[in-house]
Amino acid sequence: MLSTSNKILIARYLSRAVLFVRGCVGLPATIVAQRRGINWSLDLRDGVDFAIYLLGGFEVRTLDRYRELIRDGDIVLDIGANVGSHTLPLAQLVGGKGKVISFEPTAHAFSKQKTNISLNPTLAQRIDPHQMMLMASASETMPEAVYSSWPLEVADDLHSEHHGRLMSTQGARLGTLDETLRGLGVDKVDFMKLDVDGNELEVLLGATATLERSKPRIMLELAPYVYAENPGDFDRLLKLLWDCGYQIGDVASGRKLPEDASKVRAMIADGGGMNVMAFDKSQKDSR
C-alpha cells in the first residue's frame, strides 16, 4: 500500500500535467464539474479536489464501501468533513428520510463544503453542516489551526508526512459530540465516518454516551504517525473502542484486528494508514 507521502507525490505530478494542458488551451485551475451525480466546485491545485476531478471522488474505494453500509433513512455523522467529499456521497445514500450531520472546524474547508452543498439543492436538504471542533470536553481550548488543506505544491509550511497545511479555525465552535447531538435532538446514530488526523481519541471521549446508546458503525483511519507527539493516544483510542464493546476490522480485507495495540501498529506501514470499520461485537458482521 502506498504511503500518504507517495500518494501526494503522484498526485502532484498528475496535477501539474493536467494544469499544463488546461493552461495551453486557456482553461483555469478552478472548475465546476459533476462527478458521480454530484456537482463540485474544484481547485485542481488541491489534493482532495484533484482526486474528485480525476477519479470521480476522494477515496473512491471507501465511497463504494458506503453503498454496502448505509441504508435509506440512516442518520450519519461525517466528522472531519473537510470540503464535503464524503458528506455529499453519504447524503445520496441516506435518502429523503435520512440525515448527514457534518462537522468541520476550519473556515477554509467549511466554506468550500458550504459551496459544494449549495450546488446540490436536493442533497442540501439532507445535510446539517456545522463549523465545529469536537473534543472530549467543552472546556478545552480551541486550537488556532488544524490541517484541512492538501495543496499539490512544494512549500515549507506543509506537514512533513501527510503534506497538509494548517488552516484557521476562526468562526468555529467547540463542544462534545454527546452535548451537540443532545442539543440537536438526535437520539440515534447509525453510522459515523471519523477522519480527524490524530484527534480521534478526543472526539470519542466526548461521545461515550452516543457509543453506548446507539453503537453506530464507525469508519476511521488508523494512522500511528499522526500520533507522533502523543503516541500513547493511539493505544488509548483502540482501548476505548474495545472497552465500549466494539470489534475492529480492516476494511480492505475484512480481517478482524487483534485486540493488541502493538500488533495493530505492526500491521500498518510507516507513514501510512489502515481504513477500519468498528462495529458492535454482538453484530454478526460489519455489513
Side-chain angles (χ1 to χ4, degrees):
M1 181 182 293
L2 290 174
S3 68
T4 300
S5 181
N6 285 334
K7 289 178 182 178
I8 290 291
L9 183 62
I10 293 169
R12 193 178 286 163
Y13 284 120
L14 290 174
S15 172
R16 288 174 183 170
V18 169
L19 290 172
F20 175 78
V21 173
R22 289 179 62 84
C24 288
V25 294
L27 295 176
T30 57
I31 184 175
V32 173
Q34 185 174 100
R35 297 291 187 271
R36 293 189 172 205
I38 298 173
N39 298 315
W40 301 97
S41 175
L42 304 173
D43 183 339
L44 304 185
R45 297 163 295 191
D46 175 88
V48 174
D49 286 10
F50 186 67
I52 294 171
Y53 171 80
L54 191 67
L55 304 174
F58 180 64
E59 299 177 329
V60 290
R61 290 185 180 178
T62 301
L63 298 182
D64 290 340
R65 182 77 170 113
Y66 288 152
R67 297 180 183 277
E68 305 170 19
L69 297 166
I70 307 301
R71 296 190 183 105
D72 189 270
D74 274 356
I75 305 300
V76 173
L77 308 181
D78 186 357
I79 303 173
N82 203 265
V83 302
S85 58
H86 287 213
T87 308
L88 287 154
L90 286 167
Q92 285 180 314
L93 298 174
V94 300
K97 295 182 179 180
K99 179 69 71 177
V100 178
I101 307 171
S102 69
F103 300 92
E104 168 55 44
T106 69
H108 165 78
F110 187 69
S111 175
K112 293 185 67 172
Q113 180 191 151
K114 294 277 283 185
T115 296
N116 287 327
I117 291 171
S118 70
L119 292 172
N120 299 272
T122 299
L123 298 181
Q125 299 175 38
R126 309 172 185 177
I127 301 171
D128 183 10
H130 296 264
Q131 189 188 354
M132 190 169 184
M133 182 88 173
L134 295 175
M135 299 289 283
S137 167
S139 64
E140 297 189 38
T141 302
M142 172 86 73
E144 293 184 359
V146 297
Y147 290 99
S148 75
S149 174
W150 281 263
L152 297 176
E153 64 178 349
V154 177
D156 293 337
D157 64 336
L158 302 184
H159 189 279
S160 61
E161 293 279 356
H162 60 62
H163 303 288
R165 174 172 285 152
L166 287 167
M167 304 301 286
S168 170
T169 58
Q170 184 175 2
R173 295 181 295 115
L174 185 148
T176 71
L177 182 62
D178 284 340
E179 292 169 349
T180 301
L181 294 181
R182 191 178 303 116
L184 294 173
V186 176
D187 57 10
K188 167 183 163 292
V189 175
D190 299 290
F191 184 86
M192 181 189 303
K193 170 253 172 182
L194 181 58
D195 185 2
V196 289
D197 297 314
N199 200 49
E200 290 84 2
L201 176 63
E202 286 288 321
V203 172
L204 294 181
L205 285 172
T208 53
T210 300
L211 299 185
E212 292 293 339
R213 181 179 62 250
S214 295
K215 280 291 192 297
R217 298 178 305 283
I218 306 172
M219 175 87 76
L220 71 157
E221 182 182 33
L222 297 181
Y225 77 89
V226 301
Y227 293 87
E229 295 182 5
N230 299 288
D233 283 355
F234 181 81
D235 297 32
R236 292 177 63 203
L237 167 66
L238 293 172
K239 186 176 186 302
L240 184 152
L241 289 169
W242 289 324
D243 287 350
C244 285
Y246 278 90
Q247 178 173 308
I248 306 173
D250 178 9
V251 170
S253 67
R255 178 176 51 170
K256 177 186 173 182
L257 301 190
E259 292 195 18
D260 182 318
S262 62
K263 291 182 179 179
V264 173
R265 284 177 179 275
M267 296 170 68
I268 303 171
D270 290 342
M274 175 190 294
N275 286 329
V276 301
M277 174 67 63
F279 59 95
D280 186 358
K281 288 181 181 178
S282 65
Q283 298 177 5
K284 291 183 178 180
D285 54 51
S286 62
R287 212 177 69 229

